[in-house]
Amino acid sequence: MSRLNLDERPVSFGVLVFPGFQALDVFGPLDAFNTLFFAFGAPLKLSIIAESLDPVSTRPRTAPPGASDFDESIVPTHTYDTAPPLDVLIVPGGRGTRDAVTVQRAIEFVGEIYPKLRYLITVCTGAGIAARAGVLDGRRATTNKKSWAGTIALRTQVHWVAHARWVVDGNIWSSSGVSAGLDVTFAFIAEVWGNQTAVDLANVLEYERHTNSSWDPFAELYGLVDPVPVTL
Ligand SMILES: *[C@@H]1O[C@H](CO)[C@@H](O)[C@H](O)[C@H]1NC(C)=O
Ligand SMILES: *[C@@H]1O[C@H](CO)[C@@H](O)[C@H](O)[C@H]1NC(C)=O
């Protein structure tokens, strides 16, 4: 059973992108929602939001010329200035999050739009964007475990949770690194559209979900513990 009636379910989704976004952080969740839309008839709308309407590459802005010729681009539908009202915003991570210039507008946008969102979903180091926007202050959240130290240092007011595949605090759903974005997405779909829809969708995508949000061998791999949050 879903907790939400048909008319309460979120419709308008947005994902923000910046140079050096992590492909799977974006396309893992989007592929699940694409399929929810096409195979299950969920009436969803997607806006792809960036600084301009130019294609946005997985290649970081600061990558040295010639360092890599292996990247993909996504075409935005809106800029941060023209984004429509959203029910759900997905914030991916990736190498671009390490460059403050690259994500400055993304951070501002999350701060501006968060009060009007129904749900915020962060994947991987996308939590660092939300954290710098201040919207995670006093909240429990998780992020990529390989980039743990650098990301949690961005905002000590957050109750960072080390042992978590994902964390739900109020309307903020944050996931651990990269592939964990799929698990938080399925957990979110189970919450909104019901467990059976999430199960059926995972079967369509032939994805073996992690359904225990506390399961986190990567926190163990790096020997991570929860930092003590700064008292607000
Ligand atoms: C979701 O449905 C599956 C398959 O019917 C079942 O095995 C599982 O226990 C259910 N999970 C929850 C949280 O209800
Ligand atoms: C979830 O994972 C945690 C950590 O591995 C474990 O302690 C707990 O028993 C698991 N819960 C369930 C319901 O399997």
Side-chain angles (χ1 to χ4, degrees), residues 15-132:
V15 61
L16 64 80
V17 287
F18 45 82
F21 73 89
Q22 183 79 24
L24 190 61
D25 291 14
V26 170
F27 290 106
L30 289 193
D31 202 30
F33 289 118
N34 286 347
T35 310
L36 188 65
F37 175 71
F38 285 110
F40 294 81
L44 307 180
K45 290 189 285 198
L46 176 66
S47 302
I48 301 166
I49 306 161
E51 272 196 56
S52 78
L53 295 178
D54 294 336
V56 177
S57 171
T58 52
R59 181 187 175 89
R61 187 185 67 91
T62 52
S68 164
D69 257 335
F70 203 106
D71 59 272
E72 311 84 47
S73 292
I74 185 168
V75 184
T77 60
H78 295 80
T79 69
Y80 291 122
D81 297 320
T82 65
L86 300 174
D87 296 323
V88 183
L89 177 67
I90 301 168
V91 179
R95 295 190 74 84
T97 61
R98 297 178 193 177
D99 173 34
V101 174
T102 292
V103 289
Q104 186 53 44
R105 272 300 282 133
I107 293 167
E108 291 166 7
F109 177 73
V110 171
E112 289 158 15
I113 199 165
Y114 175 71
K116 293 173 264 176
L117 293 175
R118 290 179 56 200
Y119 303 96
L120 176 67
I121 299 175
T122 70
V123 182
C124 194
T125 51
I129 292 177
R132 278 174 282 183

Side-chain angles (χ1 to χ4, degrees), residues 195-196 199 209:
N195 180 52
Q196 197 56 51
V199 168
R209 293 165 60 194

Side-chain angles (χ1 to χ4, degrees), residues 185-197:
T185 298
F186 277 105
F188 179 77
I189 288 170
E191 170 84 1
V192 174
W193 283 273
N195 180 52
Q196 197 56 51
T197 299

Side-chain angles (χ1 to χ4, degrees), residues 130-152:
R132 278 174 282 183
V135 306
L136 298 183
D137 287 2
R139 304 267 204 150
R140 296 168 70 256
T142 197
T143 184
N144 181 297
K145 302 303 152 44
K146 174 83 173 145
S147 304
W148 180 252
T151 305
I152 68 169

